[in-house]
Amino acid sequence: MDRAWRDGFLEGLRPEQPLTVSQWADLHRKLSSKASAEPGPWRTSRTPYLQEPMDCLSTSSLVQRVVLQFAAQTGKTEAGSNWLGYVIDHAPGPMLCVQPTVEMAKRLSKQRLESMIAETPVLAEKIAPARSRDSGNTMFSKEFPGGIMLLTGANSATGLRSAPCRYLFMDEIDAFPSDVDGEGDPVALAERRTTTFARRKILLTSTPTVKDFSRIEAEYQRSDQRRYYVPCPDCGEMQWLQWSRLKWDNLKPETARYECEKCGSKIEERHKPQMLLAGEWRATAPSNGKTAGFHLSGLYSPLGWLSWEQLVDDFLRAKSDAPMLKSFVNTRLAETWEEDYASKVSADGLFAKREDYEPGVCPDGVLLLTSGVDVQDNRLAVSVWGWGREEEGWLIWHQELFGDPTQPEVWGQLDHVLDTGWAKASGSELKISQMAIDSGGHCTHESYNYARERARQGAVVIKGSSKRNGPAVGKGSKVDVNWKGRIIKRGVALFIVGSDTIKTTLFGRLKHEESKLHFGLAADEEYYRQLTAEKQSLRYVKGFPVREWVKKASERNEALDCAVYAYAALQLCYRRYNRATMWDQLSKQGRPAPLRSKKEAPASAFTNNW
Ligand SMILES: [Zn+2]
């Protein structure tokens, strides 16, 4: 029995000719004028690097799992489409196509699939038009002789739990949610559909995202890690193209040339078509015979799609802006983005960068003050932060107020902080607009009572939440207060603070050379140790990596908590102003609104000096 016969027999299907996906595409595929910039017959020679990945999806290949970590504009979507056409026309069987969302699956069906079917005669013959009744052709389901193609989104557990499938296509997997409807990883959920098929095929594609989070990178690293080697036109040395070898004259993208790693000659882009045609995929890691992984950057994009000049131009625009640079690295270079800011911010570095302004004095630019209070068993740690336009921040003051928080004395010291008029360089004074007090420790009732009594002066209670990606400050709820044995119903407003979210924001700013966060002479070295006492670390939830903030063993982190709470307090201030005009208002009036009634300072001793 020949192999084509045997395959067909085993899968219970009619015999398949040993035609490959690339051969099928060259024979039958037409690119529509609607969906393609280059309409007309498909030519694999235009993107020679797509041939091997496509042919691994052919029924004659033993590979079961094909991983494409590709840059945008390299044709990976068309490679997927060719496979769909090949399955419908040549190797029918049940197939599931998963997009990141159901909405995107709808778009794929309407914009790409329908036009591919309409403009490719061999496909139009096999799939009835969607508008005829009982055609077996709907938005999310296409029937054809010997098979069916289902489309769904990775955000739908129901869709992923559909019937068994021999072919599974998961597109843009880095955009898949980590968990779908509480049922776990959508990739694993979908893959379970294929387990009954001995000759299954799975295609996973994506541009990558953040290092250690990227699904496609993890898949690629588990594969044989193929790179596309192309010859140098001058010396013939086979090499894979790397961004670091693209050279250009200062600020002149049009001078972009590729420097050969062997002979050093500067290769002009016009050689690219020949180089691509003479190229070959080479594995750079051991193979298990079943998984083929392919990595391709935008440097390989065919002439007329994305030039080296355009790449350099994109890079020059993006290089000083982190989100733009991330996008460049992900979509142009097809590499993951390393968010390493936490490791770059050190206590010594921050201490060395202190600026020359006195504790308790507000530098120019400060328009609003907030305070964060961390409640410990024998003290309150208190920071006062000044804020200006675009959330530029200044540490104004930081102290520990010693005393037992279950007793009134230490809270009396805190009154002084609230009552103080903090001097501006202009001679005027600022008072604290909002003070956020932690209620998560052992002294919840004392925190509640203090915030209730000082609510008019801007005191609120907050509770940290470590929920990932939570809002900086939640909606707030009224909670009961136990005041001298009497329960006051809904006596105080409690706000949930997204500590992880705020830490990520603050450290994102701290790492920059021209940081928007300033430190004067208000704090000693211990303060900076506490501020940097936490690092982001990687933890696995249901097999999927998540980053979370973790305190180093045996270190105190109150300074960081105080900064987080003071930032949360700033977010609460926004609720009292028109966000668009808030800083203008504040800079005109010179002191924050609304004005509060004066309160007499309590008699308790206030021992801190500044
Ligand atoms: Zn060379």
Side-chain angles (χ1 to χ4, degrees):
M1 202 168 11
D2 73 27
R3 189 150 90 198
W5 265 102
R6 195 188 57 213
D7 291 350
F9 180 74
L10 289 174
E11 300 290 356
L13 296 165
R14 67 178 171 79
E16 290 152 5
Q17 303 296 316
L19 187 72
T20 65
V21 173
S22 66
Q23 285 167 344
W24 179 89
D26 282 328
L27 274 174
H28 299 298
R29 178 79 197 282
K30 302 279 183 295
L31 296 171
S32 84
S33 49
K34 264 186 257 167
S36 171
E38 294 180 7
W42 167 271
R43 287 177 297 131
T44 301
S45 59
R46 186 84 170 99
T47 48
Y49 49 77
L50 289 180
Q51 181 174 343
E52 189 167 309
M54 289 198 290
D55 289 351
C56 287
L57 294 163
S58 311
T59 46
S60 51
S61 161
L62 293 173
V63 171
Q64 291 192 351
R65 206 178 170 81
V66 177
V67 177
L68 304 184
Q69 180 174 340
F70 272 31
Q73 285 175 279
T74 49
K76 78 173 153 48
T77 315
E78 292 305 339
S81 298
N82 287 338
W83 184 41
L84 302 187
Y86 172 87
V87 166
I88 295 169
D89 180 42
H90 185 75
M95 181 172 206
L96 178 63
C97 297
V98 189
Q99 293 283 310
T101 64
V102 172
E103 196 52 40
M104 288 168 83
K106 201 165 153 183
R107 230 180 299 153
L108 169 79
S109 180
K110 270 170 86 168
Q111 291 174 4
R112 302 196 75 97
L113 204 50
E114 303 262 332
S115 64
M116 177 172 83
I117 292 165
E119 310 209 2
T120 307
V122 291
L123 299 180
E125 282 168 24
K126 295 202 158 104
I127 295 186
R131 40 189 182 281
S132 60
R133 263 175 195 275
D134 304 322
S135 65
N137 180 355
T138 68
M139 182 84 74
F140 297 110
S141 159
K142 308 278 176 200
E143 271 181 43
F144 47 90
I148 185 167
M149 182 177 294
L150 301 171
L151 296 103
T152 190
N155 58 346
S156 162
T158 321
L160 299 175
R161 263 193 268 101
S162 61
C165 57
R166 177 182 177 190
Y167 305 114
L168 174 60
F169 176 16
M170 291 188 273
D171 196 15
E172 287 303 332
I173 59 170
D174 272 24
F176 283 21
S178 58
D179 179 85
V180 51
D181 301 340
E183 296 192 26
D185 178 13
V187 171
L189 209 57
E191 277 192 36
R192 250 171 260 151
R193 307 277 69 78
T194 66
T195 48
T196 51
F197 290 89
R199 298 296 302 273
R200 63 184 177 157
K201 294 278 182 189
I202 298 172
L203 171 61
L204 303 142
T205 77
S206 199
T207 52
T209 49
V210 177
K211 191 164 182 59
D212 300 326
F213 282 96
S214 171
R215 290 172 182 277
I216 199 74
E217 186 183 56
E219 293 284 352
Y220 180 75
Q221 282 168 350
R222 283 197 287 270
S223 77
D224 54 5
Q225 304 183 21
R226 301 181 195 191
R227 299 273 186 181
Y228 199 65
Y229 281 69
V230 293
C232 166
D234 287 327
C235 72
E237 176 75 6
M238 295 294 277
Q239 55 201 293
W240 64 274
L241 301 182
Q242 304 182 43
W243 170 248
S244 60
R245 306 201 74 84
L246 197 65
K247 309 290 175 189
W248 61 91
D249 296 343
N250 192 27
L251 296 177
K252 286 185 184 156
E254 66 276 12
T255 62
R257 302 279 187 281
Y258 193 88
E259 190 181 72
C260 171
E261 65 183 43
K262 178 85 174 293
C263 71
S265 85
K266 302 279 197 293
I267 305 167
E268 290 178 34
E269 190 162 23
R270 62 189 169 85
H271 295 292
K272 195 149 76 174
Q274 281 66 44
M275 293 165 74
L276 291 181
L277 276 170
E280 64 182 29
W281 287 100
R282 291 183 185 175
T284 63
S287 164
N288 64 7
K290 295 215 166 136
T291 305
F294 302 87
H295 181 283
L296 199 84
S297 77
L299 288 166
Y300 291 94
S301 212
L303 284 189
W305 288 15
L306 173 69
S307 64
W308 291 344
E309 175 181 348
Q310 185 65 50
L311 274 176
V312 173
D313 191 57
D314 284 358
F315 171 74
L316 291 174
R317 285 166 201 281
K319 67 175 181 156
S320 52
D321 179 88
M324 277 172 74
L325 191 58
K326 173 180 184 295
S327 167
F328 175 84
V329 168
N330 290 159
T331 65
R332 297 305 198 201
L333 305 185
E335 282 169 14
T336 51
W337 173 254
E338 202 162 351
E339 285 184 349
D340 58 350
Y341 43 77
S343 60
K344 278 191 180 161
V345 177
S346 73
D348 294 345
L350 290 177
F351 187 74
K353 282 202 309 202
R354 284 182 312 162
E355 294 165 35
D356 189 21
Y357 64 90
E358 291 297 315
V361 174
C362 305
D364 286 338
V366 174
L367 297 171
L368 178 80
L369 293 179
T370 68
S371 173
V373 181
D374 186 49
V375 181
Q376 297 285 326
D377 285 349
N378 65 345
R379 65 187 182 276
L380 306 176
V382 186
S383 285
V384 177
W385 279 83
W387 303 100
R389 290 174 193 279
E390 295 172 1
E391 294 194 350
E392 188 160 7
W394 290 263
L395 177 68
I396 304 296
W397 186 80
H398 178 83
Q399 284 289 342
E400 291 176 312
L401 311 180
F402 285 93
D404 179 355
T406 62
Q407 303 301 317
E409 192 273 334
V410 72
W411 295 102
Q413 293 186 54
L414 192 59
D415 279 336
H416 280 284
V417 179
L418 264 182
D419 290 335
T420 294
W422 304 80
K424 291 187 74 173
S426 62
S428 60
E429 284 186 345
L430 275 178
K431 285 206 169 184
I432 290 167
S433 291
Q434 197 95 62
M435 173 183 271
I437 303 162
D438 171 38
S439 67
H442 293 146
C443 309
T444 307
H445 289 302
E446 289 77 7
S447 307
Y448 282 4
N449 275 311
Y450 185 83
R452 190 181 64 81
E453 287 170 14
R454 307 294 187 281
R456 288 177 54 116
Q457 284 162 285
V460 293
V461 272
I462 50 118
K463 196 169 161 229
S465 152
S466 57
K467 196 171 153 228
R468 277 183 291 131
N469 304 323
V473 182
K475 252 197 330 220
S477 57
K478 293 274 189 184
V479 295
D480 299 347
V481 182
N482 180 340
W483 186 69
K484 295 180 179 168
R486 193 159 65 83
I487 302 296
I488 303 173
K489 285 277 180 204
R490 299 167 54 78
V492 69
L494 174 69
F495 294 92
I496 302 297
V497 166
S499 302
D500 275 24
T501 303
I502 296 179
K503 283 170 191 171
T504 303
T505 302
L506 293 179
F507 272 82
R509 294 177 189 178
L510 281 176
K511 73 158 182 178
H512 284 294
E513 279 300 315
E514 311 88 51
S515 175
K516 285 167 69 182
L517 296 179
H518 306 269
F519 300 89
L521 308 172
D524 57 10
E525 287 173 276
E526 170 62 17
Y527 174 88
Y528 297 94
R529 270 194 294 278
Q530 292 183 16
L531 194 68
T532 54
E534 296 190 16
K535 293 275 178 249
Q536 277 192 321
S537 86
L538 210 58
R539 191 167 62 92
Y540 285 82
V541 176
K542 291 177 179 158
F544 195 75
V546 295
R547 277 170 195 267
E548 61 180 12
W549 289 88
V550 180
K551 187 160 73 80
K552 291 185 219 158
S554 80
E555 292 218 29
R556 287 168 48 191
N557 62 348
E558 291 127 70
L560 178 57
D561 283 339
C562 289
V564 167
Y565 303 156
Y567 184 79
L570 171 65
Q571 302 304 306
L572 285 170
C573 288
Y574 288 137
R575 301 179 184 192
R576 308 208 306 257
Y577 291 89
N578 176 341
R579 234 185 141 116
T581 58
M582 168 173 153
W583 298 114
D584 287 335
Q585 280 182 50
L586 289 173
S587 84
K588 270 185 212 133
Q589 69 196 84
R591 56 183 303 151
L595 294 172
R596 298 180 304 259
S597 65
K598 265 247 188 292
K599 188 175 184 305
E600 285 304 309
S604 63
F606 184 40
T607 52
N608 284 274
N609 48 357
W610 67 82

